[in-house]
Amino acid sequence: MKLTLDCVSTGQIFSLPQSSMLAYLLSKANISYVDMPLEALVCEQHHLTPVPDYPIAAIAAAEDGLDVGGAYWLRADPVHLVLQRDSFSLSEPCPLSVSREHGQAMILSLNQHFEQDGLKFCIGNSDAWYLYLAQPPQIKTALPAMAMGKNIAHFMPQGADASPWVAYLNEVQMLLHGHAANVAREQVGDIVVNSVWLSGGGVMPERLNIQVGFDYIVAHHVFYQELARRSGAVYQEMSTTLQDTISKLTQQSSVRLQLAQEMLLEDDTFQTLVDGLQTRKITQLVINLACYEKTLVAKVKPIDLYKFWRKSKPMSVYLA
């Protein structure tokens, strides 16, 4: 089985010791770097074209209980912006985890304010936030990974309609400031939602009869679920351990697996992958490790584990 692992990293990955199993696997791998965020790489591998955004929102919303129709959709992720000395930066995590109750309260306020502008915010079954528009706006947005920890002024919507959209975002920030739902979040120590991040805009693209090379997609996100549907792959959520998942899928030719962030920091995760390579249940492992605006692609075959002269290095060496 060829196993492709999509890993969304956070700043915590830099704290992994040089002796970690992830560092060990990377030391044996053939490593390359792709100059695009992981989300963009996944879109490219599934033959999605940016026009000018990758239509991530419409694809996700279709599997998230929303009637996408022929409308234009954007992700409107709830986020927290941090005030720096003379700018704001986008902080992790993105999106923030927001309860259904608080999310509905904020969305209600946003929709009441923006109704006359034709903006309609929605919440999917997964609690993800979206923005519905009857007509496509003339803007290009940036995926959140591009802007993480940076001055957001460089990643605001671009294009002919950029000015009103930047103004909309300023109004969103004013509406959310002091919102009752945010007051409740602060009282229990949760990070306040002080803005939304717009990205992944587009209409639902037509299905293409093109094979993407994956028999199975194992994930925990509606975007991957709809990608599986579009490509004819079997989709399943990872409801068991990684070891059990690998054992059950060894007869498959090629599997794409979305790794949860918390599993990325666990040594047992990568020990399981090493074991799979050693027993040849995994004939090739491809690790797509998100590094904000770029993606580290590490390819490992069973024979690579015998390259004893390759020693582990600090994670900062790989992620620099």
Side-chain angles (χ1 to χ4, degrees), residues 42-313:
V42 172
C43 287
E44 288 285 340
Q45 292 176 345
H46 285 261
H47 305 289
L48 295 173
T49 305
V51 283
D53 290 1
Y54 294 100
I56 298 172
I59 291 172
E63 198 63 44
D64 212 6
L66 299 172
D67 181 10
V68 298
Y72 188 98
W73 293 81
L74 283 154
R75 290 188 302 187
D77 292 328
V79 297
H80 183 76
L81 304 179
V82 177
L83 178 62
Q84 306 296 343
R85 186 170 63 178
D86 55 359
S87 64
F88 283 95
S89 64
L90 179 62
S91 68
E92 298 182 75
C94 176
L96 292 171
S97 176
V98 181
S99 71
R100 189 81 177 182
E101 178 186 0
H102 290 161
Q104 288 176 332
M106 294 185 202
I107 292 293
L108 177 61
S109 297
L110 293 173
N111 281 337
Q112 288 174 342
H113 179 81
F114 288 109
E115 182 179 8
Q116 63 183 8
D117 298 300
L119 278 61
K120 182 180 179 181
F121 291 84
C122 308
I123 301 182
N125 292 336
S126 69
D127 291 332
W129 294 15
Y130 304 91
L131 179 57
Y132 160 94
L133 297 165
Q135 297 296 325
Q138 300 301 307
I139 58 171
K140 183 182 188 304
T141 67
L143 292 170
M146 299 286 293
M148 202 67 66
K150 300 174 184 174
N151 183 348
I152 62 168
H154 304 304
F155 301 96
M156 287 289 98
Q158 304 290 318
D161 293 342
S163 293
W165 280 90
V166 172
Y168 290 153
L169 289 172
N170 289 333
E171 292 177 45
V172 167
Q173 292 168 27
M174 289 187 287
L175 284 167
L176 294 177
H177 179 73
H179 194 284
N182 269 328
V183 173
R185 285 175 65 85
E186 280 190 299
Q187 289 174 345
V188 295
D190 289 339
I191 301 172
V192 299
V193 178
N194 61 10
S195 190
V196 297
W197 192 265
L198 302 177
S199 68
V203 300
M204 189 66 169
E206 294 182 4
R207 292 191 183 185
L208 302 176
N209 294 320
I210 301 176
Q211 295 296 318
V212 297
F214 297 105
D215 305 313
Y216 260 75
I217 295 180
V218 182
H220 49 84
H221 197 282
V222 288
F223 177 61
Y224 278 84
Q225 190 170 355
E226 182 62 20
L227 286 182
R229 188 189 302 276
R230 291 173 59 83
S231 64
V234 177
Y235 177 85
Q236 72 173 58
E237 292 193 1
M238 191 167 157
S239 55
T240 58
T241 66
L242 179 59
Q243 184 175 5
D244 288 343
T245 299
I246 291 174
S247 296
K248 292 175 182 177
L249 297 176
T250 50
Q251 299 305 311
Q252 303 304 320
S253 173
S254 184
V255 175
R256 164 162 251 148
L257 190 150
Q258 182 195 23
L259 193 69
Q261 280 189 351
E262 58 270 18
M263 294 182 68
L264 181 62
L265 302 174
E266 297 174 359
D267 240 23
D268 287 349
T269 298
F270 296 96
Q271 182 62 64
T272 297
L273 296 172
V274 170
D275 293 343
L277 287 164
Q278 290 176 333
T279 58
R280 295 185 180 270
K281 290 180 179 178
I282 301 173
T283 55
Q284 183 181 22
L285 174 65
V286 179
I287 301 174
N288 294 325
L289 183 59
C291 304
Y292 301 112
E293 72 276 10
K294 63 183 178 180
T295 303
L296 179 155
V297 180
K299 298 180 179 180
V300 191
K301 293 183 177 180
I303 195 171
D304 294 325
L305 298 181
Y306 295 99
K307 296 177 178 177
F308 58 87
W309 59 91
R310 290 189 174 182
K311 303 300 181 183
S312 296
K313 300 174 183 177

